[in-house]
Amino acid sequence: MKVTHISAECYPVAKVGGLADVVGALPKYQNDLGEQASVIMPFYDLAFTAKNKFKKINEGKLKLADREYKFNVLQLLNLELGFELNLIDIPELLFKSHVYSSDDTKRFMAFQIAALHWLGKQTQLPDVIHCHDHHTGLIPFMMQYCDEFVAFKNIPSVISIHNAQYQGWFSYEQIDLIPAFNEEHSGLLDWYGNINPLACAIKCAWRVNTVSPSYMEELKTAANGLEGLLSHEADKCIGILNGIDTQVWNAATDPYLKMNYTVSRNLSGKKANKKWICDTYDLDVDKPLFVFIGRLVYEKGSDLFPEAFKQVLNHQEVSILLLGSGDPETEQGLVDLKDKFKGKYNAYIGYNEELSHVIYAGADFLLMPSRVEPCGLNQMYSLRYGTIPVVSSIGGLKDTIVDVEDGGFGFIHSDTTVEQMVSSIKRAATFFKDQKKFKKIRRQIMSIDHSWNRSASVYIQLYNSITN
């Protein structure tokens, strides 16, 4: 089966969030299962594109409102990703040192149009076009209703919702960005008086999936305005839990770690990575190390960190290290704690891929007090590296973590509040004191299989249900 994934992000080319990790792994595992999966994404001005070589395999023109743009299709020459990677190069719009900006409606509209123009020139059309999030949400509509793309009318499309909070809304003043179509279908574009690419994709795609079963159910009551639509389209919706790339996230072979380790021999490796972290960031290696890795945004519950960390650090013998960036006010609040809690707390404001791997390996507990978590990959990475998650009961966290009090391997709180977060941290810190139980749980969680093998098979079953 020929499957084409279309996305704004793909690890390791361009990463802002978990979307990139999914698109960088799912096609590889689908190929391993015998399918023919590839990726189309924008050609950005980033480190990956600067250091790799590409060949031009197509050139064309597209019209966007009253402006014409030339585009090239570039193919990555390096085959190590495990799938064919094709990039749409529109220098004026896409070749930027950032993935997202204030001009994204025009940028991603051009990307989607160019991708379909190029695919339409292939001798063999895809059997399935798999779109990811709102940046590609108008593709299912254009495949069925735009005059330029009639060749795609009977090609099945799938839309994966990685985060329904972001929907790509734009006003009808920009409707001429969309290629010509019969106006009787304009209602498919509309949601509460705006053009809504994600809502349109839910209406037009043959199948809709979210990245965990619980998130699919949660969206029927909390989807930033799409609740009724998702309930109405429930028959074509499914939740499929993400996997992780176990070739990349492997403590035994990870090149970023200070010492590699395995399930059966993890003690010295965990200690070596924790020692490096504590030496580097002035923390006490003998105390339980709690960490956070991610975006400092409301959805992640990070606005509660300054107050929660103050309460914990004033009363508990723990160390805390944070790696992330986002809301400026939250960033400042977390930076301000560094002087007050020297030797107990530190923060790295920004993103550092290598450091994140070492933190997963060296930490004792990972904090994920999310208000919204469609799937969550961080908790799966932490399990893989023997770091116990402390999470809220939401979305994919609910599907992957079981509390120790219920015979499981994590610490769960029902609501994202300072009080409940502090309570979970206290429970985890107490649990750490029983090193026999702690080490047993650590070995247990490293053996949990969250690889893409199972999830990739479920996606293939989904494709088969709409192509046979």
Side-chain angles (χ1 to χ4, degrees):
M1 186 185 305
K2 186 177 181 182
V3 181
T4 300
H5 294 267
I6 307 181
S7 173
E9 299 179 40
C10 174
Y11 179 83
V13 189
K15 175 177 176 175
V16 176
L19 166 62
D21 294 300
V22 174
V23 180
L26 176 56
K28 175 167 66 174
Y29 282 80
Q30 289 177 333
N31 286 334
D32 288 345
L33 293 171
E35 309 303 331
Q36 186 183 347
S38 61
V39 172
I40 303 175
M41 65 172 296
F43 187 66
Y44 302 113
D45 182 14
L46 299 173
F48 184 93
T49 52
K51 70 181 182 182
N52 283 278
K53 294 183 178 180
F54 306 83
K55 66 177 179 180
K56 183 166 73 172
I57 59 173
N58 184 256
E59 58 184 31
K61 296 179 181 179
L62 65 92
K63 189 175 181 184
L64 206 60
D66 57 355
R67 176 87 184 273
E68 188 174 78
Y69 293 90
K70 293 181 180 180
F71 70 87
N72 296 313
V73 182
L74 309 177
Q75 192 170 86
L76 178 67
L77 291 175
N78 185 335
L79 301 177
E80 293 180 358
L81 294 182
F83 53 87
E84 179 186 289
L85 177 68
N86 301 295
L87 299 102
I88 303 295
D89 179 26
I90 309 175
E92 299 144 280
L93 296 175
L94 298 178
F95 193 65
K96 309 294 182 183
S97 59
H98 50 260
V99 175
Y100 304 121
S101 72
S102 60
D103 194 27
D104 282 350
T105 297
K106 184 182 292 185
R107 294 174 70 229
F108 290 115
M109 196 72 245
F111 164 61
Q112 293 172 88
I113 294 169
L116 287 179
H117 270 304
W118 174 60
L119 284 175
K121 294 179 181 178
Q122 307 301 301
T123 53
Q124 180 190 357
L125 294 177
D127 294 302
V128 175
I129 292 181
H130 189 151
C131 304
H132 295 267
D133 270 350
H134 72 83
H135 324 97
T136 58
L138 291 176
I139 286 176
F141 174 86
M142 292 192 288
M143 288 170 62
Q144 292 187 52
Y145 302 113
C146 285
D147 301 340
E148 296 179 36
F149 304 123
V150 291
F152 294 97
K153 190 171 182 65
N154 295 314
I155 302 295
S157 59
V158 174
I159 181 71
S160 284
I161 303 174
H162 298 261
N163 192 334
Q165 297 301 304
Y166 306 100
Q167 301 171 13
W169 313 268
F170 60 97
S171 81
Y172 275 94
E173 294 176 1
Q174 293 179 287
I175 196 170
D176 58 349
L177 296 176
I178 302 172
F181 64 93
N182 187 326
E183 290 186 4
E184 70 181 32
H185 301 300
S186 60
L188 293 167
L189 298 167
D190 182 82
W191 198 249
Y192 291 106
N194 286 302
I195 295 173
N196 185 317
L198 187 58
C200 183
I202 294 167
K203 297 175 188 177
C204 296
W206 292 33
R207 290 293 185 272
V208 178
N209 87 278
T210 56
V211 289
S212 74
S214 288
Y215 188 54
M216 184 81 260
E217 290 305 308
E218 289 167 6
L219 287 183
K220 293 174 184 176
T221 57
N224 202 7
L226 299 182
E227 299 84 0
L229 177 59
L230 285 162
S231 296
H232 182 264
E233 300 287 355
D235 288 347
K236 66 177 182 181
C237 295
I238 183 174
I240 302 175
L241 186 68
N242 279 341
I244 61 172
D245 190 335
T246 52
Q247 296 170 28
V248 173
W249 296 95
N250 185 345
T253 59
D254 191 332
Y256 292 140
L257 302 194
K258 304 307 172 182
M259 180 185 289
N260 295 109
Y261 56 96
T262 63
V263 177
S264 59
R265 301 184 65 181
N266 65 68
L267 189 59
S268 59
K270 290 286 290 183
K271 278 186 174 179
N273 287 284
K274 183 177 181 180
K275 184 177 187 307
W276 182 89
I277 292 169
C278 292
D279 288 348
T280 304
Y281 293 97
D282 187 28
L283 300 170
D284 188 340
V285 73
D286 293 322
K287 293 177 181 176
L289 176 58
F290 291 80
V291 301
F292 172 84
I293 301 170
R295 293 179 297 126
L296 301 175
V297 293
Y298 177 83
E299 290 85 353
K300 300 296 183 183
S302 62
D303 55 303
L304 305 180
F305 281 159
E307 178 58 31
F309 288 173
K310 270 190 267 186
Q311 292 188 23
V312 169
L313 293 166
N314 274 323
H315 300 101
Q316 299 292 313
E317 289 300 312
V318 303
S319 297
I320 298 177
L321 177 64
L322 177 141
L323 167 63
S325 62
D327 176 68
E329 185 176 342
T330 301
E331 287 184 1
Q332 190 58 54
L334 291 165
V335 169
D336 290 344
L337 294 180
K338 291 168 73 170
D339 287 336
K340 185 173 182 180
F341 295 105
K342 280 185 178 180
K344 298 181 71 174
Y345 165 84
N346 215 324
Y348 181 112
I349 303 300
Y351 181 74
N352 184 315
E353 182 72 18
E354 178 176 351
L355 178 58
S356 73
H357 285 241
V358 181
I359 292 176
Y360 282 120
D364 297 305
F365 301 97
L366 175 80
L367 300 173
M368 289 185 72
S370 306
R371 292 184 175 94
V372 178
E373 197 61 70
C375 175
L377 297 174
N378 291 17
Q379 83 277 15
M380 297 187 205
Y381 299 150
S382 74
L383 293 171
R384 179 92 168 140
Y385 282 54
T387 295
I388 299 173
V390 180
V391 306
S392 54
S393 181
I394 198 80
L397 300 176
K398 188 190 301 183
D399 292 332
T400 53
I401 307 301
V402 179
D403 198 281
V404 292
E405 292 185 2
D406 298 318
F409 44 81
F411 295 87
I412 302 174
H413 47 269
S414 57
D415 295 312
T416 300
T417 65
V418 168
E419 292 73 22
Q420 292 210 17
M421 195 191 315
V422 170
S423 176
S424 288
I425 293 173
K426 286 181 179 178
R427 282 204 297 136
T430 300
F431 184 80
F432 180 82
K433 294 176 183 178
D434 188 337
Q435 280 291 297
K436 186 177 180 180
K437 286 184 179 179
F438 176 77
K439 290 173 183 176
K440 181 181 178 181
I441 290 288
R442 190 162 65 188
R443 287 193 300 273
Q444 176 189 342
I445 63 178
M446 288 185 70
S447 301
I448 297 173
D449 181 11
H450 280 302
S451 73
W452 267 109
N453 292 319
R454 184 198 64 81
S455 299
S457 297
V458 178
Y459 275 105
I460 292 169
Q461 293 170 20
L462 175 65
Y463 302 153
N464 284 330
S465 73
I466 52 178
T467 54
N468 294 334

